Amino acid sequence: MKKIKIAYAGGRSLGVKTLQWLSGEKRFEVVAVCPVPYENDPEYHDDFMRIIQENEYRNCDIADLKNIEIDLGLSVNYHKIIKEDILCHCSMGFYNIHHSYNLRLRGRNITTHAILNTLDENVFYHGTSLHRMVPKLDAGPIVASSAVNIEECDTAYSLFNKADKAAYELIKEWLPRISEQCIFPYYPASEGIHMYRNADLPDRRIDSETMSSLEINTYVRAFDFPGKEPAFIEKSGKKKHLVCFVRDQYQHEIMVKGHIYFTD
C-alpha cells in the first residue's frame, strides 16, 4: 500500500492528540509538522516537540510546505491563515477542523458566540466540522460534521472540549476516507450563517441592574475560558471577574441575581 504523504499543522490538546494518532497510522507518512509556536501555545508546544523528535518528523514553518512533496494537508487548531499557494500545493487538498456544526458559525471566538446566541436564536447545539480549506476563511466544502448539545451548565471551555472530542472522532473516521478519495463534500445551506471577527465580541462588562438573571448567567458562561478575560461586574470602580467554577485565582464566592459565581 502506497503511503499518503501528509503535512500537519496544529496546536492545543486536540492538535497533540491528532499528531499522536497520525504517528501510529501506517497508511500515512508524516512528511512535515508545523506546530503552533511556544508563545502562542505554551501549554502544549512541548508535547508537539516530543512527538516530532520521537518520530524524527520534519519541523518547519507553514510557508516551507511548498518545497515539500505533499499529497494531503491537515490543520487542527493552527493559529495562522494558510495561504492559497500552500493549499493548492497538496494534490488531495488541505483540510481543517473548525468548531461549528455545518460551519454555521465562522471566524473567531466561535464557542463564546455559540453560547451567547442561545439568548436570541434559540439554538442550543454547537459542534465541529471537517472541511476542505479554500482561500476564504471557513468557506470550503464540508466532509463531515458532528453536533453537540449546549447544556445549561456549559461554559465556553466545557463546550470547546465537547467539540474537541467530537472532532477527534471525525478525524479518525474520515481522514482515511479522504486519503482513499472516497468522500462527497457538500456546502451547507446559506441561511443562518454568521461570520465573526475578533472585534465582534461584545463587552464583557455585566450591568446587574439592567440585565436579567438569564443574560448574566449566559455572559458569564460564554466568557469562561482559561487564559481569557472573564465577564465582570464593577464595584467601587474595580473589576470583579466572574467564572462558574473555582480555579486559579477565582476562588471567592459572589452572588449576582441569584447565581453563585467565583471571583478574583
Side-chain angles (χ1 to χ4, degrees):
M1 179 178 69
K2 180 185 175 182
K3 289 192 174 185
I4 302 298
K5 297 181 185 296
I6 187 168
Y8 181 69
R12 293 184 174 176
S13 175
L14 178 61
V16 171
K17 195 173 180 180
T18 300
L19 181 58
Q20 189 69 63
W21 173 76
L22 279 172
S23 69
E25 283 293 300
K26 294 182 179 180
R27 76 187 74 209
F28 297 112
E29 177 187 355
V30 180
V31 295
V33 179
C34 307
V36 174
Y38 179 84
E39 56 268 26
N40 298 100
D41 193 19
E43 187 173 356
Y44 297 103
H45 182 76
D46 288 347
D47 291 328
F48 265 97
M49 297 309 298
R50 174 184 53 79
I51 298 172
I52 289 171
Q53 291 165 7
E54 286 176 351
N55 294 278
E56 298 182 344
Y57 291 148
R58 180 172 179 174
N59 179 10
C60 62
D61 185 81
I62 198 75
D64 297 330
L65 295 184
K66 60 186 175 184
N67 301 315
I68 303 171
E69 184 181 348
I70 300 168
D71 299 316
L72 180 64
L74 178 64
S75 169
V76 178
N77 289 331
Y78 194 60
H79 68 308
K80 290 182 179 178
I81 294 175
I82 300 175
K83 295 183 178 179
E84 185 174 5
D85 61 338
I86 302 299
L87 300 180
C88 294
H89 181 64
C90 302
S91 59
M92 292 181 175
F94 214 119
Y95 292 81
N96 177 56
I97 282 289
H98 177 72
H99 284 347
S100 174
Y101 182 66
N102 271 344
L103 297 182
R104 194 179 78 87
L105 308 180
R106 305 178 181 186
R108 306 297 185 188
N109 307 301
I110 298 306
T111 320
T112 291
H113 286 292
I115 294 177
L116 290 174
N117 286 353
T118 62
L119 286 171
D120 51 25
E121 292 194 343
N122 202 34
V123 175
F124 290 89
Y125 63 87
H126 186 43
T128 189
S129 299
L130 176 62
H131 71 102
R132 183 161 181 162
M133 299 176 76
V134 296
K136 187 176 179 181
L137 186 65
D138 300 331
I142 299 169
V143 174
S145 193
S146 180
V148 298
N149 290 333
I150 302 176
E151 309 291 348
E152 290 182 0
C153 61
D154 271 324
T155 64
Y157 186 57
S158 68
L159 189 58
F160 183 85
N161 287 333
K162 280 185 179 181
D164 260 8
K165 290 179 181 179
Y168 185 58
E169 296 304 318
L170 284 186
I171 291 167
K172 291 192 299 178
E173 179 178 357
W174 286 93
L175 203 65
R177 292 172 181 162
I178 292 173
S179 71
E180 296 166 0
Q181 298 184 305
C182 185
I183 55 170
F184 299 91
Y186 64 93
Y187 289 96
S190 58
E191 294 81 10
I193 288 177
H194 300 283
M195 173 61 77
Y196 295 109
R197 305 162 299 166
N198 283 326
D200 293 326
L201 275 177
D203 195 338
R204 291 171 169 80
R205 181 183 290 102
I206 287 173
D207 186 342
S208 58
E209 298 297 323
T210 62
M211 294 174 70
S212 69
S213 175
L214 175 61
E215 288 173 320
I216 291 171
N217 188 252
T218 303
Y219 267 67
V220 172
R221 293 188 297 110
F223 287 105
D224 191 344
F225 198 105
K228 305 294 184 182
E229 183 184 10
F232 63 88
I233 57 175
E234 286 188 335
K235 288 197 172 185
S236 303
K238 293 184 179 180
K239 289 182 179 181
K240 282 192 172 293
H241 292 100
L242 307 178
V243 298
C244 293
F245 305 102
V246 174
R247 60 176 167 87
D248 304 326
Q249 72 268 41
Y250 307 106
Q251 299 184 15
H252 305 293
E253 283 191 9
I254 185 171
M255 181 172 285
V256 182
K257 274 203 174 174
H259 288 279
I260 293 177
Y261 302 110
F262 297 91
T263 187
D264 44 358

